[in-house]
Amino acid sequence: MRFNKLDLNLLVALDALLTELSISRAAEKIHLSQSAMSNALARLREYFDDELLIQVGRRMEATPRAEVLRDAVNDVLRRIEGSIAAKPAFVPAQSQREFRISVSDFSLSVLVPRVMARAYAEGPGIRFALMPQVQDPPRSLDRAEVDLLILPQEFCTPDHPAEEVFRERHVCVVWRDSPLADGELTLERYMNAGHVVMVPPGANASSVEAWMTNKLGFARRVEVTSFSFASAVALVQGTDRIATVHGRLARKLAPQWPVVIKESPLALGEMHQMMQWHRYRTNDPGIEWLRRIFLESAREMDAAPA
């Protein structure tokens, strides 16, 4: 099919090329041979009268013209996927679909095991790719690299629909033999202590706890950074440091380590853990099913004894 003399099949190739910035990886992504992808790139260059991808050292980079095209092409393909190409029904028991979910290790520890069990009971052939959250998670949603984001409300994008899954409070964890384990953890003791902080992978990335702390205007003395929330609980042992983590995660892991849970002296408020999906996938029966599974699993988690 052609539109203004452009073979629309080339848009799929262009989207893959601009996502992967590699002819070989783009070819593998859409199941083409490398020579076929090279031919597609040549035709795209001719149509747009632009190199689109240029070799810079050992890698390829998008030209300014390609950067302008990137989001427009992706948007067109997502619209097609969410409407014309959408399947009219989703039967979990018969499906072998794979869902890609971007999730922090906090939700991976406290909620996702329940999600997996409930999903397996309804659709044992359904597969899941659980992906780590890095800088700018909504970007992976825009690029259709994930089907669902599980993330705090503060990090949601207004460009796509979102729904609350559950709420969470933060607590502090200290080594049980530290002086901090005795008595009240006051704001003064909190600010004078060193801290273990989770920072997601990616330049300039920040955790929701760090975001909330900065919002209150406090500057802590960070002595240890880690890429996972779960490790922060263990990393305070043998020290006089504090880890500020999610309450559910702290209660789950505290029995495994010589630590004590303390109320946070900071008025951080509740964290609203959300799920977000692409606006063009709202009526996708599979995404609707997945959202239901998450909500039912969260209700089950809230009903369980602390």
Side-chain angles (χ1 to χ4, degrees):
M1 182 177 177
R2 293 181 179 273
F3 180 78
N4 287 346
K5 298 182 180 180
L6 173 65
D7 182 351
L8 296 184
N9 289 320
L10 291 176
L11 292 182
V12 178
L14 180 57
D15 182 62
L17 286 164
L18 297 182
T19 299
E20 301 296 333
L21 297 178
S22 164
I23 293 175
S24 59
R25 291 198 300 271
E28 182 179 354
K29 181 176 183 178
I30 61 173
H31 310 293
L32 285 180
S33 67
Q34 189 165 335
S35 61
M37 182 59 74
S38 296
N39 179 60
L41 178 57
R43 294 169 63 191
L44 286 162
R45 284 169 167 168
E46 179 181 2
Y47 181 85
F48 289 106
D49 192 23
D50 188 271
E51 285 297 299
L52 299 177
L53 291 179
I54 56 176
Q55 196 74 35
V56 179
R58 303 180 67 178
R59 69 182 190 279
M60 301 191 83
E61 291 186 358
T63 65
R65 172 67 165 145
E67 290 289 355
V68 172
L69 289 169
R70 187 196 303 268
D71 288 341
V73 171
N74 185 264
D75 187 69
V76 167
L77 294 179
R78 297 293 78 77
R79 283 175 180 266
I80 294 172
E81 181 184 57
S83 55
I84 298 174
K87 294 183 178 180
F90 177 77
V91 182
Q94 300 174 6
S95 177
Q96 293 186 334
R97 181 171 173 177
E98 179 181 81
F99 290 104
R100 296 160 296 175
I101 304 171
S102 175
V103 62
S104 71
D105 72 307
F106 157 60
S107 292
L108 191 62
S109 297
V110 303
L111 176 62
V112 174
R114 295 180 185 274
V115 171
M116 294 296 102
R118 186 175 290 270
Y120 186 83
E122 295 188 19
I126 296 173
R127 295 171 292 119
F128 294 89
L130 303 174
M131 307 170 70
Q133 286 183 351
V134 293
Q135 187 180 14
D136 195 12
R139 181 65 175 170
S140 60
L141 196 64
D142 289 331
R143 299 295 302 159
E145 295 168 354
V146 298
D147 298 304
L148 197 68
L149 295 176
I150 306 298
L151 75 174
Q153 186 177 41
E154 291 77 12
F155 297 142
C156 288
T157 173
D159 298 330
H160 301 289
E163 185 173 8
E164 182 177 291
V165 183
F166 65 94
R167 298 186 182 186
E168 181 61 279
R169 292 178 59 253
H170 286 85
V171 299
C172 295
V173 176
V174 300
W175 181 39
R176 69 184 177 197
D177 293 332
S178 167
L180 294 169
D182 297 325
E184 180 185 359
L185 183 58
T186 63
L187 181 59
E188 180 181 9
R189 298 177 79 189
Y190 180 90
M191 296 307 300
N192 288 335
H195 291 262
V196 178
V197 174
M198 183 277 189
V199 178
N204 301 319
S206 176
S207 68
V208 66
E209 181 272 328
W211 180 90
M212 296 171 83
T213 303
N214 292 338
K215 183 180 179 182
L216 296 175
F218 292 99
R220 297 165 303 157
R221 190 172 75 249
V222 177
E223 296 181 346
V224 179
T225 62
S226 172
F227 56 85
S228 79
F229 289 110
S231 65
V233 175
L235 293 174
V236 300
Q237 67 173 330
T239 76
D240 292 331
R241 298 185 177 117
I242 299 171
T244 304
V245 297
H246 311 85
R248 286 183 177 87
L249 186 63
R251 292 190 294 272
K252 180 181 180 68
L253 297 180
Q256 303 175 30
W257 301 100
V259 297
V260 174
I261 298 174
K262 294 282 188 177
E263 288 294 320
S264 171
L266 298 183
L268 294 177
E270 283 189 314
M271 181 191 76
H272 297 245
Q273 192 76 326
M274 312 292 288
M275 58 180 169
Q276 189 159 43
W277 59 96
H278 201 287
R279 60 187 182 277
Y280 298 147
R281 306 285 296 281
T282 295
N283 296 322
D284 180 329
I287 299 299
E288 291 179 340
W289 173 82
L290 184 61
R291 288 160 47 199
R292 175 178 64 80
I293 291 294
F294 265 90
L295 291 175
E296 291 178 354
S297 299
R299 286 195 292 268
E300 179 187 54
M301 176 181 68
D302 288 340

